[in-house]
């Protein structure tokens, strides 16, 4: 068994739960029983973090199903905003706000929770696109209590440094 200090630093990634994913994945998505066993092992070992995303197929829904039986667990779910593939500089602010709110609503519904503990931008460029409407909408949802903590997935050191400088 892993000690709790190590478990507090490990994050269970769930992309493979909801889609055929991974260079080394030869077996496809795990069956429901295997998913439940993974979560049982995580909780029994004192694991606290689960990473998922709207873009990971059925992953959020499966995480919600798996965690539903562990109401007293200390597992914290980190999810990511929908990739919003339709976005461009010409997308109306109202369409952007609506898509962001819908993504948050669907994440809550799938995960069977009222508030997202941690929500990340799936793409760093969404921080500024459309005049910053995506980020402002998320900040508003945080203010309303739908999101506890906001962050972003970054893909290079420059983005990481930019994110660290942003204190919002």
């Amino acid at each position: 068994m892993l000690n709790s200090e190590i478990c507090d630093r490990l994050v269970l990634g769930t992309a493979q739960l909801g889609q055929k994913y991974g260079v080394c994945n030869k077996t496809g998505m795990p069956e429901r029983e295997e998913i439940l066993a993974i979560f049982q092992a995580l909780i029994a070992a004192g694991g606290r973090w689960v990473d998922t995303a709207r873009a990971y197929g059925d992953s959020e829904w499966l995480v919600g199903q798996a965690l539903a039986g562990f109401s007293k667990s200390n597992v914290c779910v980190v999810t990511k905003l929908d990739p919003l593939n339709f976005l461009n500089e010409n997308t109306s602010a109202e369409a952007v706000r609506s898509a962001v709110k819908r993504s948050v609503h669907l994440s809550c519904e799938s995960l069977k929770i009222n508030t997202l503990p941690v929500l990340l931008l799936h793409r760093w460029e969404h921080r500024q696109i459309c005049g910053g409407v995506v980020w402002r909408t998320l900040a508003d949802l945080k203010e309303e209590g739908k999101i506890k903590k906001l962050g972003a997935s970054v893909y290079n050191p420059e983005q990481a440094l930019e994110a660290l400088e942003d204190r919002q």
Side-chain angles (χ1 to χ4, degrees), residues 64 67 75 77 79 101-119 140-149:
L67 289 176
V75 173
V77 177
T79 194
K101 288 178 179 180
R102 179 166 172 70
S103 177
V104 169
H105 171 77
L106 290 173
S107 289
C108 287
E109 191 174 82
S110 293
L111 293 165
K112 298 182 179 299
I113 54 180
N114 295 321
T115 300
L116 298 177
V118 181
L119 180 72
D140 290 345
L141 290 168
K142 183 179 179 209
E143 185 91 12
E144 294 170 17
K146 289 300 285 181
I147 302 166
K148 287 186 183 174
K149 295 184 181 184

Side-chain angles (χ1 to χ4, degrees), residues 19-36:
Q19 61 186 353
K20 293 180 182 177
Y21 177 83
V23 174
C24 297
N25 181 359
K26 305 284 188 241
T27 60
M29 298 181 300
E31 297 292 327
R32 180 174 164 73
E33 295 76 26
E34 188 176 3
I35 292 169
L36 292 174

Side-chain angles (χ1 to χ4, degrees), residues 33-54:
E33 295 76 26
E34 188 176 3
I35 292 169
L36 292 174
I38 290 168
F39 278 88
Q40 286 172 341
L42 172 76
I43 291 165
R48 292 200 51 230
W49 298 97
V50 174
D51 172 78
T52 191
R54 295 289 320 139

Side-chain angles (χ1 to χ4, degrees), residues 55-69:
Y56 296 171
D58 291 335
S59 177
E60 279 186 337
W61 184 82
L62 290 163
V63 168
Q65 295 293 309
L67 289 176

